[in-house]
Amino acid sequence: MNGLAGGASDDRLARGTAGITGPGTAGIPGPGTAGVRAPGAAGAARTLVVGSGLIGSALARRLVPSGEAVTLASRRRPVPAPESYGARWEALDATDRRSCERLLARVRPDRVVLVHGPSDATWCEEHPEQARAAHVAVAENFAALARDARIVLISTDNVFDGTSAHNTESTPVSPANAYGRAKLATEQALLSASPGAVALRVSLVYGHEGADAGKWLNFFAVCAHRLLRGERVEAPDDHWTTPVVLPDVAEVTAALLRTADPLPAVLHLGGPDRVTRAQWATVIAGALGAPAGLVVPVPRARTRYASRPANACLTSEVLPALPATEKITLRGVAEGARLLAPAFTGSGADGDTQPKDTGTGTDADAGTAPVRS
């Protein structure tokens, strides 16, 4: 396990409170709270989560037990119903400004989290203009209409071209694909119009999803279901990532929402381990007790990840030094696999690890089972 606070140098500590002004962030403001209400200043905090997929539902589950009023908004009602764990759901086409305006008038949120799609990189590559328009429209709508709320955008490691194994907040951005270009445009649209907003770039997220979830599944879930059926898993041995287990993503995001401190405009969240998908799939097999020989390493060019950056990796210079997150410990892939394995094998599971929801993405794996990310 690797704590966010571990190993932060004096230079990192200094930059952690000075804002992000390095290369690749031109036009992106530093930390600020102008016009942003202090979270929870009057009664229970109200949070609106736009997107009810894997991350959105997990975040709602994280916030509700603290007595916070949480509303999920998406085109389709997620399963299970948010009401079953104390949240609410509203139907929303987030690209439609009048619909957003009506929703905000009803919910009156202190905080807004944008975790909307389309998130299928392959689809975005085939429909680049549609992808960009959809992503940017949502950011523009909430930047214009939710001026008093703290807004956190969940962004991606695809804003980098993959030439560096360690992309920090000051690494120059250079999107490798249409999805990355759409997300970068979304960051710029939001941060230029909303002075207190934060773009949280998150590396590959994984968690429990059932095989019958009725949606595209994340990489870990697809691997787990195939391996437990005794099926081969073809995984790239030249595509590197820094995976983050779902409960850790929810914990970090919740901490950023709850803090009254100013935050930098751009933050990175990557797991402590840099692994190829093939290495990671082998770790998953070990945690499930499946034969390691079922994992077949293949070149990235032969898979649906051909358009992804070779290094889809994130490292933070800032997050370990922030008071809101300095005590959070992120789990590596081995510990994440041990955490999730019981949910897949049926030997018991932490409810925090298994939101079976309807995602906002439409990814499909190159093999026989669907996969997101």
Side-chain angles (χ1 to χ4, degrees), residues 28-264:
I28 295 179
T33 54
V36 178
R37 289 194 297 265
R46 298 180 297 273
T47 301
L48 173 64
V49 181
V50 180
S52 61
L54 190 71
I55 297 174
S57 292
L59 177 60
R61 289 174 180 269
R62 178 80 188 183
L63 296 173
V64 164
S66 299
E68 303 181 35
V70 182
T71 301
L72 286 160
S74 58
R75 292 176 185 268
R76 298 180 297 275
R77 171 177 282 276
V79 178
E83 290 81 5
S84 67
Y85 51 84
R88 296 173 56 234
W89 176 76
E90 294 266 2
L92 178 69
D93 174 0
T95 64
D96 182 78
R97 182 162 296 199
R98 294 184 65 182
S99 296
C100 294
E101 188 172 17
R102 289 192 293 268
L103 176 64
L104 287 167
R106 293 194 299 272
V107 177
R108 299 180 59 247
D110 303 295
R111 299 95 60 102
V112 175
V113 181
L114 303 180
V115 58
H116 58 286
S119 59
D120 175 0
T122 303
W123 184 91
C124 291
E125 204 66 24
E126 296 168 351
H127 307 84
E129 295 305 320
Q130 289 175 256
R132 185 186 186 281
H135 277 283
V136 171
V138 176
E140 290 178 340
N141 287 343
F142 283 93
L145 299 172
R147 293 187 177 276
D148 291 338
R150 165 165 283 170
I151 304 177
V152 175
L153 166 71
I154 304 299
S155 191
T156 178
D157 47 28
N158 281 240
V159 298
F160 299 104
D161 61 13
T163 57
S164 173
H166 304 286
N167 297 302
T168 71
E169 289 91 346
S170 58
T171 300
V173 290
S174 179
N177 51 37
Y179 176 58
R181 290 189 290 274
K183 277 296 192 181
L184 180 59
T186 305
E187 290 182 10
Q188 293 168 338
L190 175 66
L191 298 177
S192 64
S194 183
V198 176
L200 178 63
R201 295 171 182 157
V202 183
S203 201
L204 188 59
V205 181
Y206 65 101
H208 177 268
E209 295 180 287
D212 60 347
K215 60 186 289 294
W216 307 117
L217 306 181
N218 67 84
F219 181 78
F220 187 106
V222 168
C223 288
H225 291 305
R226 288 179 180 170
L227 291 166
L228 289 172
R229 292 195 298 262
E231 298 174 3
R232 293 196 330 161
V233 170
E234 292 191 353
D237 57 2
D238 56 355
H239 184 213
W240 298 82
T241 184
T242 47
V244 194
V245 70
L246 183 60
D248 289 353
V249 177
E251 183 179 9
V252 169
T253 307
L256 297 177
L257 291 173
R258 289 168 173 161
T259 185
D261 297 330
L263 294 172

Side-chain angles (χ1 to χ4, degrees), residues 10-34:
D10 291 341
D11 180 56
R12 288 169 68 184
L13 288 169
R15 281 186 284 177
T17 55
I20 305 300
T21 56
T25 55
I28 295 179
T33 54

